Amino acid sequence: MPTLATVRIISAFSTPRHRIFSSLHKVIMDNVTPPKPGARAASSFVHDKAFVNGEWVPASSGKTFDVVNPANGKVIGSVPDMDASDTEMAIKVAYKAFQSWKETTAKERSVLLKKWADLVNQNREELAKLLTSEMGKPVAESAGEIMYGAGFLDLFAEEAKRVEGDIIQTPMKSRRILVLKQPIGVSGMITPWNFPNAMITRKAGAAIAAGCTVVLKPAEDTPYSALALCELAKEAGIPAGVLNVVTSSRDNASQVGKMICESPLVTKMSFTGSTFVGKLLLQQCASTVKKVSLELGGNAPFIVFESADVDAAVQGTMGAKFRCSGQTCVCANRIYVHESIFDEYVRKFAAVVEKDLKVGDGILPGTTQGPLINKKAVEKIDAHVQDAVSKGAKVVCGGKSMGGNFYEPTILTGVTGDMRCAKEEIFGPIAGIIKFKTEDEVVGLANATTSGLSGYFYSRDISQIWRVAERLESGLVGVNEGVISMPEVPFGGWKESGLGREGGRYGIEEYLEIKYVCMGGL
Ligand code: SIN
């Protein structure tokens, strides 16, 4: 039975396209649950301007673009459609701010980052509703992402103080050798829609902790979460010009990206998104020889060996496959199950999928699977299913669009390596299962891809655990765990899945330059 608040949400989101968002959004957000003491109403985080030099600014052209709620297709507001000239201006601002920000002490930066983290945590529920309204994931999952995002700020507040240089033993009595680590400079960032909060804090938190300044372009689908983070950064006391967010539509995205990649004032570029776009940005960064971090697509194997605890493996698959409706770059993409436990695993997995997953608008209580990001994503998922079925796969459950941007959680068996769902990154709720016989066979299949972001396996054989963890060609390996992302860990891929690492103490290194100082004449 929908509650009064739910009814208000549905009817508010169903109002005509061009109603003023701010008042509408206030009705929606403020009536779901009252904000906690100390937290603000979600509507107060809604900004219709970009954030440059500590100010809310329009595009110089005055143009805007609409942001759409993927759960119902309604326009939820509009933000500035900035172009290359706006981006260049933001870069100059960040460059100027860098001259003073790099002189701050690590402790000063740490205090501000900690305050920013606390504010994000304090406003978790409201930020989660905002995130769900623009991206679609269930509000409880959004709240988890906000905590994950705040976790990066908290972690980098600590890591800022642990950046240390070195003194190397001298081979010459008259000389001393020092190694300094210094902030790299203005850092350009391009972030994805699937984690509209945490992918920003994972990058910007590290950069700001290191003493760098930031120009960031959020995904056109999810600018509001980025702008909300700017508001809290300002409130935390992070000075003007240190964090700048440039919003742009899909049409302008390539000129904004090119400006970030080719500007000589930007010395570092970090991108999370598709391998195709990552390669393009890498080429553009070559012109100024920038330091580059890329978190690109995956094609994760998920292996269930014969010694596995099948129930635990099923639970692990649920997290690895259906988190964010399958729209993460670390989602299980190819599920390999040993022939001796294949039938048991498929039966149990299908039962849990049918019992536990509820597809719907993420703002509604009980939803576990929100919409896919847009119609194109639904069409791609459906094409994967049709392709697999035409090549002999069997649909165990799901397999159909549910209208709008919703797609049934789908299990396929009889998947083979020539099917699109095994060769390409799925980025949606299809679990394709493949039977295997031996460890050598499955490790060979798992590694037979140009991607190398994550891999998972379930086994209770300790020798096999060591062997397979070492043999998988990926940057992240989950052993008897299906969700392994944490702020503390080095996140990043091998092969075409990317360059560099984000998170943990490795993440801050990406924003530091090494300087060797030789003191002579001693
Ligand atoms: C991603 O999908 O880009 C990141 C996922 C994560 O941090 O777990």
Side-chain angles (χ1 to χ4, degrees):
M1 208 27 208
T3 61
L4 183 60
T6 310
V7 171
R8 290 183 76 163
I9 296 160
I10 297 166
S11 53
F13 270 111
S14 312
T15 48
R17 213 175 127 84
H18 293 298
R19 285 278 293 276
I20 306 293
F21 175 63
S22 51
S23 59
L24 170 62
H25 208 250
K26 187 159 169 48
V27 174
I28 302 161
M29 296 301 192
D30 293 355
N31 286 288
V32 180
T33 47
K36 282 215 203 76
R40 254 168 302 150
S43 55
S44 78
F45 289 114
V46 176
H47 291 283
D48 60 1
K49 299 281 185 299
F51 187 76
V52 177
N53 208 14
E55 304 291 338
W56 299 104
V57 297
S60 53
S61 65
K63 289 189 184 149
T64 60
F65 67 98
D66 289 341
V67 183
V68 172
N69 181 334
N72 54 25
K74 304 284 177 200
V75 173
I76 53 176
S78 59
V79 294
D81 192 3
M82 296 177 125
D83 58 18
S85 66
D86 296 303
T87 311
E88 190 176 23
M89 198 264 290
I91 290 170
K92 284 183 181 154
V93 162
Y95 186 75
K96 184 157 179 271
F98 177 58
Q99 307 317 315
S100 47
W101 186 243
K102 69 180 177 187
E103 302 297 338
T104 55
T105 65
K107 187 158 183 190
E108 284 166 339
R109 298 193 293 273
S110 173
V111 167
L112 296 180
L113 280 164
K114 180 81 179 76
K115 196 150 177 226
W116 191 12
D118 290 346
L119 285 167
V120 173
N121 263 325
Q122 202 178 315
N123 292 286
R124 181 169 73 232
E125 286 181 25
E126 288 64 38
L127 293 172
K129 289 172 206 156
L130 183 65
L131 195 158
T132 292
S133 74
E134 61 179 348
M135 186 274 158
K137 67 175 73 170
V139 76
E141 207 175 318
S142 295
E145 181 185 335
I146 303 297
M147 284 195 285
Y148 182 39
F152 284 109
L153 299 178
D154 199 48
L155 178 112
F156 288 122
E158 297 301 322
E159 289 303 330
K161 294 179 282 183
R162 295 188 196 118
V163 172
E164 283 166 4
D166 206 358
I167 299 177
I168 293 175
Q169 285 294 335
T170 181
M172 302 166 100
K173 282 199 172 132
S174 62
R175 297 184 183 183
R176 295 293 179 271
I177 300 168
L178 285 74
V179 177
L180 309 184
K181 290 195 181 166
Q182 295 183 300
I184 191 163
V186 176
S187 302
M189 300 172 181
I190 303 175
T191 54
W193 51 264
N194 62 343
F195 287 85
N197 176 293
M199 295 307 101
I200 293 177
T201 56
R202 180 149 86 183
K203 294 179 196 301
I208 291 171
C212 299
T213 56
V214 173
V215 176
L216 184 145
K217 188 199 95 58
E220 57 274 12
D221 314 271
T222 57
Y224 288 121
S225 295
L227 296 171
L229 278 169
C230 292
E231 179 183 337
L232 294 174
K234 185 173 179 170
E235 190 174 328
I238 294 185
V242 171
L243 174 66
N244 305 280
V245 167
V246 172
T247 53
S248 88
S249 67
R250 196 173 303 262
D251 287 347
N252 280 355
S254 58
Q255 56 171 296
V256 170
K258 194 164 186 289
M259 176 55 70
I260 287 175
C261 291
E262 294 186 352
S263 167
L265 296 185
V266 177
T267 35
K268 162 82 194 180
M269 197 283 293
S270 177
F271 168 71
T272 296
S274 73
T275 304
F276 177 80
V277 174
K279 286 180 182 178
L280 200 73
L281 298 175
L282 185 58
Q283 280 171 3
Q284 292 174 356
C285 284
S287 64
T288 49
V289 195
K290 279 188 205 346
K291 189 166 176 178
V292 173
S293 299
L294 300 172
E295 300 296 347
L296 308 179
N299 182 355
F302 187 105
I303 308 168
V304 188
F305 285 104
E306 59 268 49
S307 68
D309 173 337
V310 174
D311 294 305
V314 164
Q315 284 309 323
T317 323
M318 294 298 289
K321 180 67 250 182
F322 292 111
R323 173 177 174 231
C324 201
S325 298
Q327 301 173 108
T328 87
C329 52
V330 288
C331 276
N333 214 63
R334 296 166 290 153
I335 302 170
Y336 296 101
V337 182
H338 191 265
E339 59 178 2
S340 64
I341 50 164
F342 189 86
D343 291 344
E344 179 191 0
Y345 171 88
V346 173
R347 182 173 37 80
K348 289 182 166 171
F349 183 37
V352 175
V353 165
E354 281 175 350
K355 181 167 122 336
D356 287 359
L357 296 187
K358 182 164 174 249
V359 181
D361 186 336
I363 207 82
L364 301 178
T367 297
T368 65
Q369 299 285 284
L372 302 188
I373 190 68
N374 53 35
K375 188 161 170 272
K376 214 167 139 214
V378 176
E379 286 167 0
K380 182 190 143 187
I381 292 307
D382 204 46
H384 273 210
V385 172
Q386 300 313 321
D387 169 76
V389 170
S390 74
K391 290 175 181 154
K394 180 174 160 250
V395 178
V396 177
C397 62
K400 290 190 303 298
S401 156
M402 299 167 75
N405 293 334
F406 297 97
Y407 203 89
E408 290 177 337
T410 299
I411 300 179
L412 303 173
T413 51
V415 168
T416 51
D418 62 333
M419 295 177 186
R420 285 186 66 190
C421 67
K423 284 194 297 197
E424 297 171 23
E425 185 175 35
I426 301 170
F427 233 67
I430 306 173
I433 311 180
I434 303 167
K435 206 183 269 185
F436 75 91
K437 285 188 194 337
T438 69
E439 182 183 304
D440 277 347
E441 173 201 3
V442 78
V443 171
L445 290 169
N447 289 338
T449 164
T450 53
S451 303
L453 186 55
S454 58
Y456 308 85
F457 65 94
Y458 275 67
S459 169
R460 286 185 285 196
D461 172 344
I462 189 66
S463 313
Q464 181 175 58
I465 286 176
W466 273 106
R467 270 194 316 271
V468 177
E470 288 177 358
R471 290 177 74 191
L472 285 180
E473 294 169 359
S474 61
L476 324 169
V477 176
V479 183
N480 297 324
E481 292 290 348
V483 178
I484 58 172
S485 302
M486 287 169 264
E488 292 76 8
V489 304
F491 189 104
W494 288 17
K495 302 196 259 186
E496 293 187 17
S497 286
L499 292 173
R501 293 295 179 271
E502 295 191 312
R505 65 188 163 86
Y506 300 90
I508 199 165
E509 294 288 333
E510 301 284 336
Y511 296 91
L512 294 166
E513 275 287 20
I514 288 179
K515 184 182 281 171
Y516 149 53
V517 178
C518 177
M519 288 193 185
L522 301 178

